[in-house]
Amino acid sequence: MIRKAVIPAAGFGTRFLPATKSQPKEMLPVVDKPVIQYVVEEAVASGITDVLIITGRGKQAIENHFDRAVELEFELEKLGKNRQVEELKHLAEMADVHYIRQGELRGLGAAVHLAKHHVGDEPFVVLLGDTIVDAEGGVPATRTLVDAYNMVKAPVLGLETVDKARYDRFGMVEPSGKPDSHGNMKIKNVVEKPYPGKSPSNFALVGRYVFEGGIFEILEAELEKNQGIVDLTGAINKLVAKGGVWGRVVEGRRYDIGERMDYVEAILRLGLQREDIGAELTELIRSLAKELGK
């Protein structure tokens, strides 16, 4: 049973400046809930009970968000706002949340390596802290990968199919053959943000992974020989060479919150799904479309 998750959330968020100058990108609200809460909730819905968030300088808001706010709860109780009180309590209790600060930003691989002592030899999941994968009522992406890992007993990469115009935005994978009867496919290679004509397939990494302890040995070697950025893609390709990595297409829609239009789309689509504001938001969109003559 996989019970631990690692969520890298230490980056500067430069693609979303100036909003991220003084607040973490992971704390940007999608309606009234920050991005990283969606990520943690996905992990918890997938059976995860222990979450390690890799933070950095200026990211204290993330820690505060998942902490208890006793004074606020007390004031809400006095006002009779019991629903909000229960939401805040649940937020602080839904998982054991731990933090490690990444003092020097040296890439996603270096961030994952910081989890070595916390994770130990257990298999674990990695979820990018700035990426929402909305299963739209289906099986959470992380749950799909955990189930796949239980079948193949090897690292598993979460995948989605993307249009050719978006190949240069993501890590793209090259399968070594057709998927098995469960949808698991063996991976031959991963190419980081290839030019549109150079991608080996239309399968993109979705920001969800299952790894075993062996990834740390590879990352440690890369950190020792390379004083610059240590990316996760190179380590994955070394795992491929060592004995096998699998991929699995996950259900749902991915929102890369570092991209402005993905962020806007996330607010609209996730807002439309909500019982409390969905109908009003639908009418607002129709009204705006009519006003603009669309």
Side-chain angles (χ1 to χ4, degrees):
M1 180 64 183
I2 297 178
R3 63 188 185 91
K4 291 185 177 180
V6 176
I7 302 178
F12 288 129
T14 53
R15 292 180 296 165
F16 225 110
L17 286 169
T20 51
K21 181 176 182 291
S22 59
Q23 71 169 327
K25 173 176 58 176
E26 297 82 7
M27 288 299 296
L28 291 171
V30 177
V31 186
D32 55 4
K33 187 161 64 174
V35 174
I36 198 165
Q37 184 176 335
Y38 286 92
V39 178
V40 172
E41 286 176 346
E42 178 193 324
V44 171
S46 303
I48 300 300
T49 58
D50 185 296
V51 175
L52 175 67
I53 301 178
I54 312 298
T55 67
R57 189 175 294 106
K59 300 274 187 169
Q60 295 90 339
I62 295 175
E63 298 183 29
N64 292 338
H65 184 69
F66 292 103
D67 197 3
R68 287 291 298 272
V70 178
E71 298 86 353
L72 176 57
E73 292 172 15
F74 179 71
E75 291 300 321
L76 290 172
E77 285 177 345
K78 287 200 301 184
L79 295 171
K81 297 186 176 182
N82 297 322
R83 178 184 62 81
Q84 289 92 330
V85 172
E86 291 306 311
E87 286 178 352
L88 292 180
K89 288 182 178 179
H90 172 70
L91 182 62
E93 297 170 354
M94 62 181 172
D96 292 328
V97 183
H98 311 268
Y99 305 91
I100 292 179
R101 176 178 283 199
Q102 186 177 16
E104 182 182 7
L105 300 187
R106 294 183 57 192
L108 182 56
V112 171
H113 179 262
L114 289 173
K116 176 181 178 180
H117 297 296
H118 184 85
V119 170
D121 294 327
E122 298 182 43
F124 64 103
V125 298
V126 173
L127 305 88
L128 298 190
D130 62 356
T131 300
I132 296 172
V133 183
D134 176 32
E136 300 177 1
V139 180
T142 298
R143 177 77 259 177
T144 297
L145 300 188
V146 169
D147 291 343
Y149 175 82
N150 290 334
M151 296 178 201
V152 301
K153 298 301 181 183
V156 183
L157 314 178
L159 307 175
E160 67 170 344
T161 57
V162 298
D163 296 332
K164 185 181 295 185
R166 304 175 73 206
Y167 289 173
D168 60 353
R169 286 179 51 184
F170 308 115
M172 305 297 296
V173 306
E174 179 181 2
S176 64
K178 293 183 178 180
D180 65 18
S181 59
H182 300 286
N184 306 314
M185 65 182 81
K186 202 78 176 286
I187 300 301
K188 182 178 181 180
N189 187 33
V190 181
V191 181
E192 185 65 24
K193 298 179 180 178
Y195 291 112
K198 300 294 184 180
S199 179
S201 74
N202 65 339
F203 293 113
L205 298 176
V206 79
R208 301 292 187 266
Y209 315 82
V210 178
F211 291 121
E212 298 173 317
I215 189 73
F216 295 124
E217 180 181 342
I218 293 171
L219 291 171
E220 197 161 315
E222 289 297 309
L223 285 163
E224 288 177 357
K225 74 177 184 180
N226 177 9
Q227 297 305 308
I229 298 298
V230 175
D231 197 54
L232 194 58
T233 302
I236 291 172
N237 280 328
K238 286 184 170 60
L239 283 177
V240 169
K242 278 194 166 188
V245 174
W246 292 76
R248 178 72 173 267
V249 174
V250 301
E251 295 181 32
R253 191 183 301 271
R254 177 243 290 268
Y255 304 102
D256 176 0
I257 302 303
E259 298 290 336
R260 289 170 173 81
M261 288 309 299
D262 272 25
Y263 178 59
V264 173
E265 184 177 355
I267 292 172
L268 294 174
R269 287 189 180 274
L270 294 175
L272 287 169
Q273 294 176 21
R274 290 178 46 155
E275 293 183 1
D276 56 346
I277 64 170
E280 288 183 75
L281 184 54
T282 298
E283 288 305 311
L284 174 61
I285 292 171
R286 287 175 176 163
S287 176
L288 289 174
K290 183 178 181 180
E291 179 182 326
L292 296 171
K294 303 296 185 183

